PDB file of all heavy atoms in Angstrom:
ATOM      1  N   ALA A  17      -7.505 152.913  23.412  1.00 51.00           N
ATOM      2  CA  ALA A  17      -8.703 153.646  23.815  1.00 51.00           C
ATOM      3  C   ALA A  17      -9.351 154.299  22.604  1.00 51.00           C
ATOM      4  O   ALA A  17      -8.698 154.598  21.615  1.00 51.00           O
ATOM      5  CB  ALA A  17      -8.331 154.717  24.837  1.00 51.00           C
ATOM      6  N   ILE A  18     -10.642 154.519  22.689  1.00 52.00           N
ATOM      7  CA  ILE A  18     -11.387 155.164  21.617  1.00 52.00           C
ATOM      8  C   ILE A  18     -11.900 156.510  22.125  1.00 52.00           C
ATOM      9  O   ILE A  18     -12.577 156.583  23.146  1.00 52.00           O
ATOM     10  CB  ILE A  18     -12.576 154.302  21.158  1.00 52.00           C
ATOM     11  CG1 ILE A  18     -12.131 152.924  20.706  1.00 52.00           C
ATOM     12  CG2 ILE A  18     -13.375 155.027  20.078  1.00 52.00           C
ATOM     13  CD1 ILE A  18     -11.372 152.911  19.416  1.00 52.00           C
ATOM     14  N   ALA A  19     -11.577 157.573  21.416  1.00 50.00           N
ATOM     15  CA  ALA A  19     -12.094 158.893  21.759  1.00 50.00           C
ATOM     16  C   ALA A  19     -13.466 159.052  21.111  1.00 50.00           C
ATOM     17  O   ALA A  19     -13.817 158.325  20.181  1.00 50.00           O
ATOM     18  CB  ALA A  19     -11.138 159.975  21.282  1.00 50.00           C
ATOM     19  N   LEU A  20     -14.241 160.006  21.567  1.00 52.00           N
ATOM     20  CA  LEU A  20     -15.565 160.226  21.014  1.00 52.00           C
ATOM     21  C   LEU A  20     -15.486 160.620  19.543  1.00 52.00           C
ATOM     22  O   LEU A  20     -15.029 161.691  19.199  1.00 52.00           O
ATOM     23  CB  LEU A  20     -16.295 161.314  21.797  1.00 52.00           C
ATOM     24  CG  LEU A  20     -16.600 160.978  23.250  1.00 52.00           C
ATOM     25  CD1 LEU A  20     -17.240 162.173  23.923  1.00 52.00           C
ATOM     26  CD2 LEU A  20     -17.511 159.771  23.341  1.00 52.00           C
ATOM     27  N   ASN A  21     -15.903 159.729  18.660  1.00 55.00           N
ATOM     28  CA  ASN A  21     -15.964 159.981  17.214  1.00 55.00           C
ATOM     29  C   ASN A  21     -14.634 160.430  16.621  1.00 55.00           C
ATOM     30  O   ASN A  21     -14.611 161.057  15.580  1.00 55.00           O
ATOM     31  CB  ASN A  21     -17.045 161.015  16.882  1.00 55.00           C
ATOM     32  CG  ASN A  21     -18.421 160.507  17.229  1.00 55.00           C
ATOM     33  OD1 ASN A  21     -18.667 159.297  17.162  1.00 55.00           O
ATOM     34  ND2 ASN A  21     -19.308 161.395  17.600  1.00 55.00           N
ATOM     35  N   ALA A  22     -13.537 160.159  17.260  1.00 55.00           N
ATOM     36  CA  ALA A  22     -12.248 160.587  16.736  1.00 55.00           C
ATOM     37  C   ALA A  22     -11.400 159.412  16.291  1.00 55.00           C
ATOM     38  O   ALA A  22     -10.317 159.599  15.795  1.00 55.00           O
ATOM     39  CB  ALA A  22     -11.492 161.391  17.791  1.00 55.00           C
ATOM     40  N   GLY A  23     -11.872 158.207  16.472  1.00 54.00           N
ATOM     41  CA  GLY A  23     -11.096 157.041  16.080  1.00 54.00           C
ATOM     42  C   GLY A  23     -10.181 156.594  17.197  1.00 54.00           C
ATOM     43  O   GLY A  23     -10.230 157.109  18.321  1.00 54.00           O
ATOM     44  N   PRO A  24      -9.323 155.631  16.923  1.00 54.00           N
ATOM     45  CA  PRO A  24      -8.436 155.108  17.953  1.00 54.00           C
ATOM     46  C   PRO A  24      -7.425 156.151  18.426  1.00 54.00           C
ATOM     47  O   PRO A  24      -6.952 156.959  17.647  1.00 54.00           O
ATOM     48  CB  PRO A  24      -7.729 153.942  17.276  1.00 54.00           C
ATOM     49  CG  PRO A  24      -8.341 153.779  15.952  1.00 54.00           C
ATOM     50  CD  PRO A  24      -9.212 154.944  15.670  1.00 54.00           C
ATOM     51  N   VAL A  25      -7.120 156.097  19.688  1.00 50.00           N
ATOM     52  CA  VAL A  25      -6.113 156.977  20.264  1.00 50.00           C
ATOM     53  C   VAL A  25      -4.862 156.143  20.502  1.00 50.00           C
ATOM     54  O   VAL A  25      -4.943 155.076  21.107  1.00 50.00           O
ATOM     55  CB  VAL A  25      -6.615 157.576  21.604  1.00 50.00           C
ATOM     56  CG1 VAL A  25      -5.549 158.434  22.239  1.00 50.00           C
ATOM     57  CG2 VAL A  25      -7.886 158.367  21.379  1.00 50.00           C
ATOM     58  N   PRO A  26      -3.690 156.567  20.007  1.00 52.00           N
ATOM     59  CA  PRO A  26      -2.477 155.767  20.177  1.00 52.00           C
ATOM     60  C   PRO A  26      -2.147 155.534  21.653  1.00 52.00           C
ATOM     61  O   PRO A  26      -2.318 156.413  22.486  1.00 52.00           O
ATOM     62  CB  PRO A  26      -1.389 156.622  19.522  1.00 52.00           C
ATOM     63  CG  PRO A  26      -2.126 157.551  18.629  1.00 52.00           C
ATOM     64  CD  PRO A  26      -3.463 157.771  19.261  1.00 52.00           C
ATOM     65  N   ASP A  27      -1.678 154.324  21.951  1.00 58.00           N
ATOM     66  CA  ASP A  27      -1.336 153.958  23.314  1.00 58.00           C
ATOM     67  C   ASP A  27       0.090 154.333  23.688  1.00 58.00           C
ATOM     68  O   ASP A  27       0.420 154.423  24.850  1.00 58.00           O
ATOM     69  CB  ASP A  27      -1.492 152.449  23.525  1.00 58.00           C
ATOM     70  CG  ASP A  27      -2.945 152.030  23.583  1.00 58.00           C
ATOM     71  OD1 ASP A  27      -3.794 152.893  23.872  1.00 58.00           O
ATOM     72  OD2 ASP A  27      -3.220 150.852  23.337  1.00 58.00           O
ATOM     73  N   SER A  28       0.953 154.490  22.717  1.00 79.00           N
ATOM     74  CA  SER A  28       2.357 154.673  23.058  1.00 79.00           C
ATOM     75  C   SER A  28       2.990 155.802  22.261  1.00 79.00           C
ATOM     76  O   SER A  28       2.443 156.273  21.268  1.00 79.00           O
ATOM     77  CB  SER A  28       3.129 153.380  22.792  1.00 79.00           C
ATOM     78  OG  SER A  28       3.207 153.149  21.408  1.00 79.00           O
ATOM     79  N   ARG A  29       4.132 156.187  22.715  1.00 78.00           N
ATOM     80  CA  ARG A  29       4.890 157.222  22.012  1.00 78.00           C
ATOM     81  C   ARG A  29       5.328 156.756  20.635  1.00 78.00           C
ATOM     82  O   ARG A  29       5.410 157.540  19.701  1.00 78.00           O
ATOM     83  CB  ARG A  29       6.116 157.618  22.830  1.00 78.00           C
ATOM     84  CG  ARG A  29       5.764 158.364  24.067  1.00 78.00           C
ATOM     85  CD  ARG A  29       6.996 158.765  24.811  1.00 78.00           C
ATOM     86  NE  ARG A  29       6.601 159.371  26.073  1.00 78.00           N
ATOM     87  CZ  ARG A  29       7.429 159.683  27.015  1.00 78.00           C
ATOM     88  NH1 ARG A  29       8.723 159.459  26.879  1.00 78.00           N
ATOM     89  NH2 ARG A  29       6.994 160.227  28.125  1.00 78.00           N
ATOM     90  N   ARG A  30       5.614 155.458  20.524  1.00 78.00           N
ATOM     91  CA  ARG A  30       6.024 154.910  19.226  1.00 78.00           C
ATOM     92  C   ARG A  30       4.918 155.094  18.205  1.00 78.00           C
ATOM     93  O   ARG A  30       5.157 155.543  17.080  1.00 78.00           O
ATOM     94  CB  ARG A  30       6.375 153.431  19.366  1.00 78.00           C
ATOM     95  CG  ARG A  30       6.790 152.793  18.035  1.00 78.00           C
ATOM     96  CD  ARG A  30       6.844 151.288  18.104  1.00 78.00           C
ATOM     97  NE  ARG A  30       5.626 150.683  18.596  1.00 78.00           N
ATOM     98  CZ  ARG A  30       4.527 150.478  17.875  1.00 78.00           C
ATOM     99  NH1 ARG A  30       4.503 150.830  16.610  1.00 78.00           N
ATOM    100  NH2 ARG A  30       3.465 149.916  18.393  1.00 78.00           N
ATOM    101  N   GLU A  31       3.687 154.776  18.591  1.00 84.00           N
ATOM    102  CA  GLU A  31       2.570 154.927  17.663  1.00 84.00           C
ATOM    103  C   GLU A  31       2.355 156.391  17.291  1.00 84.00           C
ATOM    104  O   GLU A  31       2.041 156.705  16.147  1.00 84.00           O
ATOM    105  CB  GLU A  31       1.295 154.349  18.269  1.00 84.00           C
ATOM    106  CG  GLU A  31       1.315 152.842  18.357  1.00 84.00           C
ATOM    107  CD  GLU A  31       0.044 152.282  18.960  1.00 84.00           C
ATOM    108  OE1 GLU A  31      -0.982 152.981  18.945  1.00 84.00           O
ATOM    109  OE2 GLU A  31       0.082 151.152  19.442  1.00 84.00           O
ATOM    110  N   ILE A  32       2.531 157.269  18.246  1.00 85.00           N
ATOM    111  CA  ILE A  32       2.412 158.696  17.964  1.00 85.00           C
ATOM    112  C   ILE A  32       3.517 159.130  17.000  1.00 85.00           C
ATOM    113  O   ILE A  32       3.273 159.854  16.041  1.00 85.00           O
ATOM    114  CB  ILE A  32       2.461 159.524  19.266  1.00 85.00           C
ATOM    115  CG1 ILE A  32       1.211 159.258  20.093  1.00 85.00           C
ATOM    116  CG2 ILE A  32       2.595 161.016  18.957  1.00 85.00           C
ATOM    117  CD1 ILE A  32       1.267 159.835  21.494  1.00 85.00           C
TER     118      ILE A  32
END
Side-chain angles (χ1 to χ4, degrees):
I18 303 289
L20 295 176
N21 296 329
V25 177
D27 287 338
S28 69
R29 290 182 186 172
R30 179 193 53 80
E31 289 180 21
I32 292 170

